Amino acid sequence: MPTRYSQVYAAWKADPEAFWAEAAKEIDWSKPWDKVFDPDQGVYGRWFAGAECNTCYNAVDRHVEGGRAGQLALIHDSPITGTQRKFTYAELKREVEALAAVLQDNGVQKGDRVLIYMPMVAEAAFAMLACARIGAIHSVVFGGFAARELATRIDDAKPKLIISASCGIEPGRVVAYKPLLDGAIDLAKTKPAKCVILQRPELECELTPGRDVDYAESVSAAKAAGTEVPCVPVAATDPLYVLYTSGTTGQPKGVVRDNGGHMVALKWSMKNQYGVDPGEVFWAASDVGWVVGHSYIVYAPLLHGCTTILFEGKPVGTPDAGTFWRVIEEHKVAALFTAPTAFRAIKGQDPKGEFVRKYDLSNFRTLFLAGERADPETIKWAENQLKVPVIDHWWQTETGSPISNNPIGLGILPVKYGSPAVSMPGYDVQVVSDEGHPVDTGTLGNVVVKLPLPPGCLPTLWNADQRFRDAYLAEFPGYYKTADAGYIDEDGYLFIMARTDDIINVAGHRLSTGGMEEVIAEHPDVAECAVIGTADALKGQVPCGFVVLNAGVDRDTAEIEKEVVALVRERIGPVAAYKLTVAVKRLPKTRSGKILRGTMQKIADGEEWSMPATIDDPAILDEIGAALREKGIGTSQRIEPTAPAH
Ligand code: COA
Ligand code: AMP
């Protein structure tokens, strides 16, 4: 079909308010808006000001009332435990309503925060929807974060209650959640009044008397009592959730998502961007702890009346590289969304695609990749094996849905390898120099979005309007800074090349090297440190830490390096994938004292590098190269200066 993209994008640009008002007709509102967009509210304006709605109603109840009661809403497919559970929309409503009753019985009211620290079980989705039902604000924390990261989030969100589980399951090990939860609560200044704990048979835990409530028992009691919990109307501009994401320091940013704009944006994206119809099966192989999980495991597919899959497993090893194809065949998945790293893992184990051919993929129409740059080789491999369009699209925790995409529902555009395609309606994406001037077509620069941001994007950071302004709006007035560097080509295709801050992308997970440096600096023998992301064939990037030891430390350096690795794992969590510390005598710096991380990264990645003109002592870069070579890393050569290094 000929693409309608240009026409639709032009219609949005001509009249953004009319565009979003039309899209908003797909949502049931309990009170209509006074203004589609109110520029005088919030930091840069607010969408659907004055309207009232409920996200759980639109995701669940509306479908039960509208003829989808018997349709599957959610499938928990868990190869790691060898189990599967399926819930129709009616059953989903029963689960969510019962848990909502438990939350209310334990004192949770509209506007209260509820922290969710759960593995990939169906109850994690129930928990999110139960909060939405009663107007409570959820904050899901990824299970791979350690107690201290959890404590930081508890102190920022100040939850009245925490919903957690006894354990998560990773290949070859059961992760006991309860000690992490208790440790975090001990560390946190704010203590939740209650914790609702889901006992999993793989590892049960002891409940803390007076504080902990058993999930299954309390939900069963609520079901038996037949407690009805109506959906509480909230303002469209009220927060649905806070999701913490890495910032440039160890203090994560609490990205706020509202109710109204979020629903409008996600509902619009399902048909127009992902090309999926109500009743079809949509699978985002991510984790509910990440934004992809929030938007495309839980909210968008349910708002659209799809069946969603919540997958507890890995692309390889659970049990093999055919798992994804088994799930697609068994549940008749129409579209899969995952990170390129998952495909690199599959390709690594099954380069010839032998597993692919064991399964019937006839229902499968499109593969979507995001979370990190999709390397052309991986895309081509997936295209060859799957014989479906493979679509790279770009978005951030902050935006909640794609900034750029190849909108298959509007008609696919030609694929350009290495590009996440074109700006979506709502986004006027531009590329500017460091001074804020537009750059020429094809020239690398800072990727920015003209304000206002569209519905569904963050209106602010949790309790931190000023940090929101400083971090995103101050540098390029009138624009949102994506902190990505890239360019736009002559056909309007975007190319997203790298972050402009200290964020690295490890296996599709967003991590702050600044946060890791803060932890490493706590080691008593470390005087200074610098963490960089180095290229990794599977994970895209992995962190590598350089440490300078305090004068007079005469302990075994290898021992200290190991302790630093253990410290990052203990403080941030296994998800940091921090496995390499290199002790060096000195760190390379500019004369003004700025550590030359960019040059260190080039050396580690084996790329050519040139001596920065501002370097304090050039010999240090050779020392870094030698230290890396001792660890078997980096073979790069210095080139004589032609272009400025960075
Ligand atoms: N709870 C506890 N630990 C977790 C965890 C969780 N929810 N998720 C990951 N971890 C642990 C892993 O077990 C691993 O521990 P280890 O150091 O003891 O091996 C560590 O954190 C690093 O995890 P990860 O970087 O994911 O590596 P991996 O080797 O386990 O798996 C991939 C590699 C590529 C298979 C995996 O990263 C993957 O499937 N990625 C998809 C990415 C994704 O879903 N991104 C979301 C955006 S779409
Ligand atoms: P997160 O907030 O975890 O979704 O991470 C967002 C960051 O991941 C972006 O700012 C980009 O740096 C990177 N990213 C996400 N999707 C893509 C993509 N398709 N291409 C390149 N980078 C991407």
Side-chain angles (χ1 to χ4, degrees):
M1 103 181 169
T3 181
R4 292 191 296 122
Y5 164 72
S6 301
Q7 193 188 327
V8 171
Y9 189 79
W12 161 74
K13 212 163 183 188
D15 192 345
E17 290 190 25
F19 180 91
W20 292 118
E22 184 60 31
K25 288 185 186 159
E26 294 281 313
I27 299 300
D28 282 2
W29 306 85
S30 43
K31 179 173 173 286
W33 51 86
D34 302 323
K35 285 186 176 173
V36 180
F37 180 71
D38 184 349
D40 298 325
Q41 279 196 33
V43 177
Y44 64 84
R46 301 301 304 266
W47 290 96
F48 305 107
E52 285 183 5
C53 54
N54 183 283
T55 296
C56 181
Y57 178 78
N58 276 280
V60 183
D61 299 46
R62 180 165 74 141
H63 302 307
V64 175
E65 292 162 15
R68 295 191 186 279
Q71 180 199 309
L72 284 183
L74 187 143
I75 299 172
H76 176 237
D77 186 305
S78 173
I80 208 155
T81 59
T83 60
Q84 267 189 31
R85 290 160 80 204
K86 297 182 180 180
F87 301 87
T88 63
Y89 271 96
E91 287 162 347
L92 177 62
K93 177 168 181 271
R94 204 153 43 244
E95 294 294 336
V96 169
E97 198 167 13
L99 182 58
V102 172
L103 296 182
Q104 283 184 334
D105 288 348
N106 285 286
V108 178
Q109 294 172 1
K110 180 174 167 178
D112 288 339
R113 270 81 58 215
V114 172
L115 191 138
I116 301 171
Y117 184 58
M118 298 280 264
M120 285 290 285
V121 288
E123 286 77 3
F126 304 160
M128 294 162 77
L129 292 161
C131 291
R133 189 171 192 88
I134 59 173
I137 302 163
H138 62 71
S139 187
V140 184
V141 178
F142 179 63
F145 282 121
R148 203 169 81 155
E149 288 290 318
L150 187 54
T152 312
R153 288 154 176 78
I154 294 174
D155 276 333
D156 198 68
K158 303 192 174 21
K160 193 171 242 183
L161 181 144
I162 298 182
I163 307 178
S164 189
S166 55
C167 68
I169 298 137
E170 284 295 293
R173 75 194 154 100
V174 173
V175 182
Y177 272 36
K178 189 63 183 353
L180 296 169
L181 176 68
D182 289 345
I185 294 174
D186 280 349
L187 284 170
K189 291 185 205 81
T190 317
K191 312 287 177 194
K194 293 280 177 186
C195 295
V196 177
I197 309 286
L198 178 76
Q199 295 281 17
R200 300 192 76 188
E202 291 78 10
L203 178 71
E204 299 217 343
C205 64
E206 250 181 54
L207 300 185
T208 306
R211 188 196 74 187
D212 293 351
V213 175
D214 183 277
Y215 186 112
E217 273 174 22
S218 55
V219 163
S220 298
K223 281 184 193 161
T227 319
E228 283 185 14
V229 181
C231 294
V232 174
V234 296
T237 50
D238 278 344
L240 168 68
Y241 69 75
V242 178
L243 175 59
Y244 289 91
T245 189
S246 300
T248 43
T249 64
Q251 181 66 31
K253 294 169 175 165
V255 167
V256 174
R257 193 83 59 212
D258 68 9
N259 277 274
H262 177 239
M263 284 196 280
V264 173
L266 291 190
K267 178 76 174 83
W268 190 86
S269 73
M270 284 301 283
K271 175 70 189 160
N272 296 292
Q273 297 197 41
Y274 292 95
V276 169
D277 285 319
E280 292 195 302
V281 183
F282 189 85
W283 178 24
S286 177
D287 189 288
V288 288
W290 307 116
V291 68
V292 174
H294 280 63
S295 293
Y296 290 101
I297 295 174
V298 181
Y299 289 113
L302 296 178
L303 287 167
H304 200 48
C306 289
T307 302
T308 188
I309 295 186
L310 200 137
F311 174 75
E312 188 181 25
K314 304 268 173 180
V316 292
T318 59
D320 55 39
T323 303
F324 273 26
W325 325 131
R326 194 265 306 157
V327 172
I328 291 175
E329 175 188 293
E330 203 170 324
H331 306 304
K332 299 191 168 39
V333 172
L336 165 66
F337 175 175
T338 191
T341 190
F343 266 75
R344 288 197 295 269
I346 295 171
K347 181 175 144 221
Q349 296 216 349
D350 183 23
K352 294 196 186 133
E354 281 159 14
F355 278 110
V356 183
R357 279 174 286 285
K358 288 190 184 157
Y359 296 91
D360 171 8
L361 307 183
S362 54
N363 289 286
F364 185 50
R365 289 200 304 270
T366 328
L367 170 65
F368 292 90
L369 299 176
E372 57 176 322
R373 187 159 187 276
D375 51 293
E377 284 318 304
T378 300
I379 295 192
K380 286 179 198 163
W381 182 85
E383 280 176 344
N384 282 337
Q385 296 301 334
L386 300 172
K387 316 283 184 227
V388 297
V390 177
I391 292 184
D392 175 15
H393 61 322
W394 168 55
W395 51 304
Q396 307 188 313
T397 304
E398 289 84 347
T399 64
S401 66
I403 308 170
S404 77
N405 201 346
N406 192 333
I408 200 148
L410 297 176
I412 193 166
L413 298 161
V415 169
K416 289 197 189 191
Y417 296 115
S419 165
V422 294
S423 302
M424 286 297 93
Y427 293 95
D428 179 353
V429 180
Q430 301 182 16
V431 180
V432 298
S433 65
D434 288 350
E435 295 71 38
H437 305 306
V439 300
D440 290 338
T441 300
T443 305
L444 192 72
N446 299 284
V447 185
V448 297
V449 179
K450 195 164 187 298
L451 292 175
L453 291 169
C457 285
L458 81 171
T460 190
L461 294 174
W462 180 248
N463 280 337
D465 283 353
Q466 194 52 46
R467 188 173 180 205
F468 174 62
R469 286 192 189 91
D470 294 346
Y472 298 101
L473 310 183
E475 196 168 336
F476 304 108
Y479 294 86
Y480 162 84
K481 177 176 97 169
T482 65
D484 276 317
Y487 62 92
I488 302 180
D489 77 2
E490 60 290 352
D491 298 320
Y493 279 61
L494 279 150
F495 288 78
I496 301 298
M497 306 310 289
R499 292 282 303 195
T500 58
D501 56 11
D502 74 343
I503 301 292
I504 57 170
N505 214 306
V506 180
H509 306 140
R510 174 169 157 178
L511 298 163
S512 159
T513 53
M516 293 184 213
E517 288 175 6
E518 282 175 24
V519 169
I520 296 171
E522 286 176 32
H523 190 287
D525 294 337
V526 170
E528 290 197 273
C529 64
V531 175
I532 58 168
T534 63
D536 182 83
L538 173 64
K539 299 191 180 187
Q541 283 185 300
V542 286
C544 165
F546 295 86
V547 293
V548 177
L549 302 183
N550 285 318
V553 172
D554 57 3
R555 297 177 51 220
D556 180 16
T557 308
E559 213 34 55
I560 299 173
E561 289 174 349
K562 271 196 225 149
E563 286 168 14
V564 168
V565 169
L567 191 65
V568 175
R569 192 177 172 96
E570 181 211 311
R571 295 287 164 85
I572 296 181
V575 68
Y578 182 88
K579 312 247 157 144
L580 180 66
T581 305
V582 185
V584 289
K585 278 203 256 55
R586 319 176 277 176
L587 291 173
K589 292 183 187 166
T590 61
R591 282 189 282 277
S592 59
K594 199 166 166 261
I595 298 174
L596 290 160
R597 293 182 180 79
T599 313
M600 289 161 77
Q601 184 174 337
K602 283 200 164 99
I603 296 174
D605 286 351
E607 288 175 22
E608 287 187 337
W609 56 279
S610 55
M611 190 62 72
T614 53
I615 193 161
D616 186 26
D617 181 349
I620 304 179
L621 286 175
D622 294 329
E623 292 169 18
I624 295 288
L628 280 166
R629 271 192 297 279
E630 253 179 55
K631 304 266 179 199
I633 299 161
T635 53
S636 63
Q637 291 301 318
R638 169 144 70 102
I639 50 163
E640 287 320 315
T642 45
H646 44 96

